[in-house]
């Protein structure tokens, strides 16, 4: 599952881009929209106009789970969309709906926060990625999510620090990835620099190869696939030493 303590930190973008990177590496990937209230995963992947069935149709028996899958037009990944009609879906029903899915990676886009949707998503997950930004409010909310995840028997819990500004880290105006993860007490499986290309190109399709975030997302996918925790140099800011001499 890919989750976050608060909305607006880039959780759905991380889910979609990570899935596409894994698919480009040759893995079979299914992206599941478990955020039944906002259900933006189909929009983030640009497949909303081709959705025929969604998770609510699977639960109602109108189609099989494989019939509800939509092929991503930018990669070989598949998307399982949802809708507000799934509101009130139990954790047991959610797990049952996913039983027919096969693939190397099943990425569940979890709703932000710690309400019912969070517990529904984590009930079907084996590992968790918590997305946060270096802001104090996002870190505080992510910490609450990680505390709840400790009650579940997950194989791994790690963090993705999004929207990192290495220049601000160097000036001491933003916490570094290492400082964020020290506060959260979980390792970073990925870190993504602030990148205007994500906003500019998301509605047109995939973020281009020349985007500053592209290498960071590729490293994130490699970490997930290889169970490593390496970070790119693009998100590391070197603190400037202050001198008392003028």
């Amino acid at each position: 599952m890919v989750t976050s303590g608060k909305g607006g930190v880039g959780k759905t973008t991380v889910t979609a881009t990570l899935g596409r990177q894994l698919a480009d590496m040759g893995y079979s990937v299914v992206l599941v929209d478990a955020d039944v209230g906002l259900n933006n995963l189909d929009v983030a992947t640009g497949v909303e106009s081709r959705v025929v069935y969604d998770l609510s149709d699977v639960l109602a028996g109108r189609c099989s789970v494989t019939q509800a899958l939509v092929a991503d037009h930018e990669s070989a990944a598949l998307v399982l969309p949802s809708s507000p009609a799934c509101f009130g879906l139990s954790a047991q029903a959610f797990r049952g709906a996913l039983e027919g899915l096969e693939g190397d990676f099943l990425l569940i886009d979890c709703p932000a926060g710690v309400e019912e949707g969070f517990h529904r998503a984590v009930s079907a997950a084996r590992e968790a990625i918590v997305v946060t930004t270096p802001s104090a409010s996002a870190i505080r909310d992510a910490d609450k999510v990680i505390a709840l995840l400790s009650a579940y028997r997950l194989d791994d819990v790690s963090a993705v620090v999004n929207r990192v500004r290495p220049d601000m880290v160097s000036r001491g105006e933003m916490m570094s990835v290492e400082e964020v993860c020290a506060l959260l007490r979980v390792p970073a499986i990925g870190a993504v620099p602030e990148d205007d290309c994500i906003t500019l190109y998301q509605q047109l399709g995939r973020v281009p190869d020349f985007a500053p975030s592209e290498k960071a997302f590729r490293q994130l996918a490699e970490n997930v696939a290889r169970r490593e925790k390496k970070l790119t140099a693009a998100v590391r800011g070197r603190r400037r030493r202050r001198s008392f001499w003028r």
Side-chain angles (χ1 to χ4, degrees):
M1 64 182 291
V2 182
T3 184
S4 66
K6 63 179 296 183
V9 298
K11 170 183 56 62
T12 299
T13 298
V14 169
T15 304
T17 310
L18 171 59
R20 285 173 166 175
Q21 290 283 353
L22 288 168
D24 287 347
M25 293 167 62
Y27 294 103
S28 56
V29 179
V30 179
L31 306 176
V32 178
D33 194 346
D35 190 351
V36 300
L38 298 178
N39 58 294
N40 286 322
L41 188 58
D42 58 338
V43 177
T45 52
V47 302
E48 70 275 15
S49 63
R50 294 191 282 117
V51 173
V52 177
Y53 298 112
D54 59 45
L55 185 57
S56 66
D57 296 301
V58 177
L59 297 170
R62 290 187 286 269
C63 69
S64 67
V65 67
T66 54
Q67 289 176 315
L69 296 177
V70 183
D72 177 29
H73 65 284
E74 293 288 340
S75 73
L78 299 172
V79 181
L80 176 60
S82 67
S83 71
C86 300
F87 188 78
L89 171 66
S90 69
Q92 183 178 3
F94 180 68
R95 290 196 307 271
L98 303 188
E99 286 180 354
L101 292 176
E102 297 181 355
D104 298 316
F105 290 97
L106 177 66
L107 302 183
I108 302 172
D109 185 29
C110 176
V114 294
E115 304 302 327
E116 180 182 356
F118 167 84
H119 296 283
R120 178 172 55 234
V122 72
S123 71
R126 295 173 56 186
E127 302 179 11
I129 294 175
V130 182
V131 181
T132 185
T133 62
S135 69
S137 60
I139 295 170
R140 181 177 182 179
D141 290 345
D143 185 57
K144 294 177 182 177
V145 168
I146 291 170
L148 287 176
L149 289 171
S150 65
Y152 292 86
R153 296 181 177 179
L154 297 175
D155 296 338
D156 185 70
V157 177
S158 51
V160 167
V161 185
N162 196 23
R163 297 176 183 168
V164 179
R165 286 277 304 274
D167 58 327
M168 294 181 67
V169 173
S170 298
R171 295 193 298 267
E173 299 169 352
M174 176 180 284
M175 281 186 283
S176 67
V177 175
E178 292 79 8
E179 290 169 333
V180 171
C181 291
L183 290 172
L184 296 177
R185 300 177 300 280
V186 296
I189 196 170
V192 182
E194 183 73 56
D195 185 3
D196 291 338
C197 285
I198 292 178
T199 302
L200 291 172
Y201 286 90
Q202 193 173 46
Q203 299 303 318
L204 301 176
R206 146 172 309 195
V207 176
D209 292 340
F210 59 79
S213 61
E214 176 68 12
K215 185 176 181 179
F217 276 118
R218 187 164 59 249
Q219 182 65 63
L220 169 61
E222 291 176 356
N223 285 344
V224 170
R226 301 171 184 172
R227 297 185 176 277
E228 297 177 342
K229 300 289 192 328
K230 298 179 180 179
L231 300 181
T232 64
V235 295
R236 297 185 182 277
R238 181 174 297 179
R239 297 284 192 191
R240 295 179 182 175
R241 293 184 177 180
R242 294 182 179 180
S243 174
F244 292 102
W245 301 97
R246 296 191 178 185

